[in-house]
């Protein structure tokens, strides 16, 4: 089957010259050819992401055109074509080219595009959709994936990633495109002349920065804090620096070696603030100037990481759960007149620490599936029904949303808020680590970790399915010395209690996720990534001391790891 697809590309007389040359380079490598052509690059609920190169299972101008053709049909089907589509892109290889290709296909269908003149953060695209009142949005990005990747993320008219029903519609339109090589794309200059390709720049930036002022909780506190910031070769420098300055921060030090966009991300192993090595240069600079706080954002600026000096002066990188807990507590503690119907929204793999903090402030918590689109969907629902007032949303993977003028995780907002939190505690002679320890003493020592296993290619996908099947079908009664209380299978949306076998319905959309609820506030969860060839295992514990939590967490991880390695 894949050979037919390969021959179709090879025999296409108008194949892009660069792709044609790349195809010739792997002509004798059957394994590489099979991986490039054995399937269409999957357009899932979050869009598509993959390696650059020739083939139906790769990111290239033809798979981009296929996605854009599906988007055009989706917008036309909703009767919103006159409103157009906002398009942004990051610093990766081919990002601007893919943005323009998207606009060319949309323009062929008479749908106007509003394309940023240069790279911009993903959350600004979310904002731009709302500000320009377009029918949809696209950002060309592969987030923190390696340099050989790129992606296409689609947004609805609310500025959020497509929730399940809209995603199903969009996916169906993309899947109807049978021949990606012959998708028609209009001439760029003609579209510009006819008002179907419009270039966007400072107007949207300035509007976003104006909204960013609302992130500040206590405008009058002293901002005498020294900050080091690295955008990790991505899109965040301008907005983060301007946002911090307009909020009153003056001691802002940029890691210049990582300030310029670089599709190779040449100074880091991975441009991901979740991984501590990404902070190496920021730590060196922080030590040199005696910084109070280090901030890092991933290339498309939807994730943010924080590092703080400990009592020995060594910088410690906080987890996403810890940073989220600090920001949440600060907001709830210092926002006057909290609404009675205020709500925290977090994902099912995010720490229970947030729920306990919210409960302490008489704020309810809603769990949603992994993926910020579910948080954005709930914000819109609350606007329509008035049932709840959104106060904060976050996920363990360094994604936070403070104010809902964007509808995706926003590292720019998070940088501004966590800098304020740091300044507030510095004024009291404390660090964020001191503040975190106070929260632990008050609410319990919550500790979490993540195990991520990468399994590439067709065989990897089959292995991931095998792992999920094993954990789903096995009768697991105990993990790490803790009894299994219940098993939540989000594929069937059922929660089964182990002791008596009773079953409850889970009121969430279906998803290929398993969560094991253990005794004594412990849990672990496994979920195949929707955008990467990975399966992720999440772990959470709570005890009355950090030492006990560390021991228990290690016990859970080692038990699950043994079973995993027996499978792979």
């Amino acid at each position: 089957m894949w050979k037919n697809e390969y021959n179709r590309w090879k025999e296409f007389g108008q194949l892009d010259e660069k792709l044609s040359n790349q195809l010739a380079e792997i002509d004798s490598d059957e394994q590489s050819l099979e991986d490039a052509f054995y399937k269409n690059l999957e357009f899932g609920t979050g869009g598509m992401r993959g390696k650059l190169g020739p083939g139906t299972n790769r990111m290239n101008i033809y798979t981009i055109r296929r996605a854009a053709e599906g988007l055009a049909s989706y917008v036309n089907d909703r009767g919103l074509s006159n409103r157009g589509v906002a398009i942004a892109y990051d610093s990766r290889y081919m990002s601007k080219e893919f943005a323009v290709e998207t606009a060319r296909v949309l323009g062929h269908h008479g749908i106007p595009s509003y394309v940023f003149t240069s790279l911009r953060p993903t959350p600004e695209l979310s904002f731009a959709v709302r500000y320009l009142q377009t029918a949809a949005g696209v950002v060309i990005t592969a987030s923190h994936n390696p340099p050989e990747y790129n992606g296409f993320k689609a947004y609805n008219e609310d500025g959020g990633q497509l929730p399940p029903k809209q995603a199903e519609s969009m996916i169906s339109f993309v899947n109807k495109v049978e021949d990606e090589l012959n998708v028609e794309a209009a001439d760029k200059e003609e579209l510009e002349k006819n008002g179907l390709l419009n270039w966007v720049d400072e107007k949207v930036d300035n509007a976003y920065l104006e909204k960013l002022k609302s992130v500040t909780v206590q405008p009058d506190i002293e901002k005498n804090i020294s900050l080091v910031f690295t955008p990790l070769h991505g899109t965040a420098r301008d907005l983060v620096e301007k946002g911090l300055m307009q909020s009153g921060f003056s001691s802002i030090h940029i890691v210049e070696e990582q300030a310029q966009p670089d599709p190779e991300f040449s100074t880091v192993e991975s441009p991901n603030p979740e991984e501590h090595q990404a902070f190496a240069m920021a730590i060196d600079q922080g030590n040199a100037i005696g910084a109070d706080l280090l901030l890092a954002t991933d290339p498309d600026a939807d994730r943010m990481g924080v590092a703080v000096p400990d009592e020995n002066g060594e910088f410690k990188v906080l987890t996403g759960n810890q940073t989220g807990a600090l920001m949440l507590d600060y907001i709830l503690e210092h926002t006057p007149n909290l609404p009675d119907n205020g709500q925290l929204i977090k994902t099912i793999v995010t720490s229970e620490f947030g729920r306990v903090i919210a409960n302490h402030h008489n704020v309810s918590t809603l769990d949603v599936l992994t993926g910020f689109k579910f948080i954005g969907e709930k914000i819109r629902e609350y606007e329509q029904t008035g049932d709840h007032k959104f106060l904060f949303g976050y996920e363990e993977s360094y994604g936070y949303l403070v104010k809902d003028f964007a509808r995706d995780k926003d590292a720019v907002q998070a940088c501004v808020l966590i800098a304020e939190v740091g300044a507030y505690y510095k004024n009291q002679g404390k660090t964020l680590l001191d503040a975190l320890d106070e929260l632990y003493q008050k609410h319990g020592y919550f500790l979490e970790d993540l195990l991520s296993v990468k399994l590439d290619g067709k065989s990897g996908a089959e292995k991931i399915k095998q792992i999920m099947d094993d954990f789903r079908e096995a009768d697991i009664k105990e993990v790490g010395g803790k009894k299994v209380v219940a098993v939540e299978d989000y594929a069937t949306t059922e929660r089964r209690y182990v002791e008596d076998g009773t079953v409850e319905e889970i009121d969430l959309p279906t998803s290929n996720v398993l969560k094991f609820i253990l005794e004594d506030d412990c849990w672990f969860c496994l979920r195949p990534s929707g955008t990467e060839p990975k399966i992720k295992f999440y772990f959470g514990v709570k005890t009355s001391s950090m030492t006990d939590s560390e021991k228990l967490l290690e016990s859970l991880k080692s038990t699950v790891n043994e079973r995993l390695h027996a499978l792979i």
Side-chain angles (χ1 to χ4, degrees):
M1 178 67 180
W2 68 264
K3 290 183 178 180
N4 293 335
E5 293 296 291
Y6 163 59
N7 288 327
R8 182 169 64 87
W9 272 57
K10 189 176 180 180
E11 294 164 7
F12 183 61
Q14 298 167 306
L15 193 68
D16 174 79
E17 183 178 0
K18 181 179 178 182
L19 291 172
S20 180
N21 292 336
Q22 291 174 334
L23 200 56
E25 289 174 8
I26 60 171
D27 187 61
S28 59
D29 185 346
E30 189 159 303
Q31 185 175 348
S32 294
L33 288 174
E34 181 181 9
D35 194 50
F37 286 99
Y38 83 94
K39 66 174 183 176
N40 284 329
L41 185 62
E42 184 177 354
F43 196 99
T45 56
M48 65 181 186
R49 188 182 297 180
K51 292 181 179 179
L52 293 160
T56 57
N57 189 33
R58 294 287 185 264
M59 287 290 297
N60 51 64
I61 61 171
Y62 302 108
T63 52
I64 282 287
R65 288 177 184 175
R66 179 173 181 261
E69 181 76 8
L71 176 61
S73 298
Y74 170 83
V75 170
N76 281 327
D77 183 66
R78 294 171 67 83
L80 300 172
S81 57
N82 63 312
R83 287 171 55 178
V85 176
I87 304 174
Y89 53 92
D90 69 5
S91 55
R92 289 178 175 273
Y93 289 116
M94 298 296 292
S95 282
K96 187 168 186 178
E97 290 88 343
F98 289 166
V100 172
E101 287 299 319
T102 302
R104 290 180 63 208
V105 172
L106 293 170
H108 172 74
H109 292 276
I111 300 171
S113 293
Y114 302 88
V115 186
F116 280 97
T117 54
S118 58
L119 73 177
R120 291 297 193 283
T122 287
E124 188 176 1
L125 182 278
S126 174
F127 171 78
V129 169
R130 299 172 57 77
Y131 178 74
L132 298 171
Q133 297 184 321
T134 60
V138 170
V139 60
I140 305 296
T141 180
S143 189
H144 54 272
N145 278 69
E148 62 269 23
Y149 282 77
N150 212 328
F152 178 109
K153 288 169 68 173
Y155 289 75
N156 64 14
E157 69 271 24
D158 192 50
Q161 291 187 54
L162 302 179
K165 287 184 180 179
Q166 291 182 358
E168 286 173 15
S169 174
M170 173 76 175
I171 291 166
S172 70
F173 284 119
V174 172
N175 289 341
K176 286 176 184 176
V177 182
E178 295 181 354
D179 183 2
E180 71 287 340
L181 296 176
N182 284 299
V183 172
E184 295 189 60
D187 180 75
K188 173 175 167 284
E189 285 72 24
E190 283 294 313
L191 293 176
E192 290 173 330
K193 187 167 65 176
N194 296 328
L196 289 172
L197 200 172
N198 307 278
W199 295 100
V200 179
D201 46 32
E202 286 86 358
K203 183 180 179 181
V204 178
D205 298 342
N206 293 335
Y208 175 90
L209 285 166
E210 186 62 32
K211 288 288 188 183
L212 192 61
K213 293 176 181 177
S214 66
V215 169
T216 298
V217 178
Q218 299 186 91
D220 298 328
I221 67 167
E222 186 177 356
K223 309 288 175 61
N224 183 27
I225 186 171
S226 178
L227 305 168
V228 171
F229 170 60
T230 173
L232 297 178
H233 302 296
T235 61
R237 176 175 182 167
D238 286 350
L239 283 184
V240 168
E241 194 169 15
K242 289 175 181 176
L244 289 168
M245 289 175 66
Q246 76 177 12
S247 298
F249 296 94
S250 57
S251 184
I252 307 164
H253 307 269
I254 307 296
V255 181
E256 293 295 341
E257 300 94 329
Q258 297 175 327
Q260 295 305 313
D262 174 10
E264 280 295 323
F265 310 113
S266 52
T267 66
V268 289
E269 293 175 26
S270 169
N272 184 358
E274 291 180 84
E275 298 180 17
H276 293 188
Q277 55 79 25
F279 276 90
M281 284 189 167
I283 287 172
D284 288 343
Q285 191 162 329
N287 285 327
I289 67 170
D292 299 302
L293 205 60
L294 312 181
L295 307 174
T297 54
D298 69 343
D300 68 324
D302 61 358
R303 299 172 193 247
M304 179 210 69
V306 178
V308 187
D310 62 16
E311 66 274 11
N312 300 316
E314 295 181 4
F315 280 96
K316 180 177 180 180
V317 180
L318 301 184
T319 69
N321 286 312
Q322 291 170 332
T323 302
L326 285 164
M327 291 196 288
L328 172 66
D329 183 73
Y330 181 78
I331 290 169
L332 300 184
E333 187 71 40
H334 300 287
T335 298
N337 304 316
L338 282 173
D340 292 337
N341 62 347
Q343 189 156 64
L344 162 69
I345 309 178
K346 71 176 190 68
T347 68
I348 58 173
V349 296
T350 299
S351 174
E352 292 298 294
F353 201 8
R355 187 190 312 277
V356 173
I357 291 169
N359 285 344
H360 179 75
H361 293 277
N362 297 314
V363 168
S364 62
T365 299
L366 178 73
D367 284 319
V368 296
L369 291 176
T370 306
F372 233 84
K373 59 180 171 285
F374 297 109
I375 295 178
E377 182 183 28
K378 281 296 175 182
I379 294 171
R380 186 176 192 184
E381 179 186 312
Y382 295 163
E383 283 182 337
Q384 294 170 340
T385 65
D387 290 344
H388 294 282
K389 173 67 177 174
F390 171 77
L391 296 179
F392 187 64
Y394 76 117
E395 58 186 6
E396 51 74 40
S397 56
Y398 288 56
Y400 322 95
L401 185 62
V402 185
K403 294 293 183 180
D404 61 8
F405 56 82
R407 296 295 163 90
D408 203 353
K409 50 186 178 283
D410 189 338
V412 184
Q413 290 191 36
C415 281
V416 171
L417 179 61
I418 198 64
E420 181 183 338
V421 179
Y424 170 79
Y425 284 110
K426 184 180 180 182
N427 292 336
Q428 299 180 29
K430 301 175 183 177
T431 69
L432 291 183
L433 291 176
D434 297 325
L436 188 61
D437 193 54
E438 289 177 0
L439 288 177
Y440 283 142
Q441 292 177 41
K442 183 186 294 185
H443 301 297
Y445 286 81
F446 290 84
L447 204 58
E448 297 80 27
D449 205 353
L450 170 68
L451 173 65
S452 184
V453 181
K454 188 175 183 181
L455 296 163
D456 282 315
K458 184 179 180 181
S459 61
E462 292 169 352
K463 186 63 71 175
I464 288 172
K465 181 182 184 302
Q466 181 187 339
I467 293 166
M468 291 298 295
D469 288 345
D470 177 81
F471 275 86
R472 185 168 271 128
E473 294 165 9
D475 186 20
I476 300 174
K477 295 283 179 61
E478 186 178 291
V479 181
K482 295 294 180 182
K483 291 181 181 178
V484 178
V485 176
V487 180
E488 297 178 342
D489 190 339
Y490 292 85
T492 60
T493 63
E494 289 182 342
R495 179 184 299 109
R496 179 181 59 84
Y497 289 92
V498 172
E499 188 172 345
D500 60 9
T502 57
V503 175
E504 293 177 349
E505 183 180 354
I506 300 171
D507 186 21
L508 287 173
T510 59
S511 183
N512 187 21
V513 178
L514 277 174
K515 188 171 184 179
F516 290 78
I517 310 300
L518 313 178
E519 61 183 341
D520 299 330
D521 299 310
C522 300
W523 58 272
F524 79 94
C525 181
L526 55 160
R527 180 183 74 90
S529 172
T531 55
E532 302 171 79
K534 290 181 178 180
I535 182 167
K536 297 182 178 181
F537 291 78
Y538 305 81
F539 303 88
V541 301
K542 175 200 170 187
T543 73
S544 57
S545 77
M546 183 57 74
T547 300
D548 288 345
S549 288
E550 289 172 345
K551 289 179 180 177
L552 181 54
L553 184 63
E554 189 55 40
S555 177
L556 288 187
K557 285 171 56 184
S558 62
T559 304
V560 172
N561 215 1
E562 284 176 18
R563 187 181 191 93
L564 175 62
H565 278 281
L567 292 169
I568 62 175

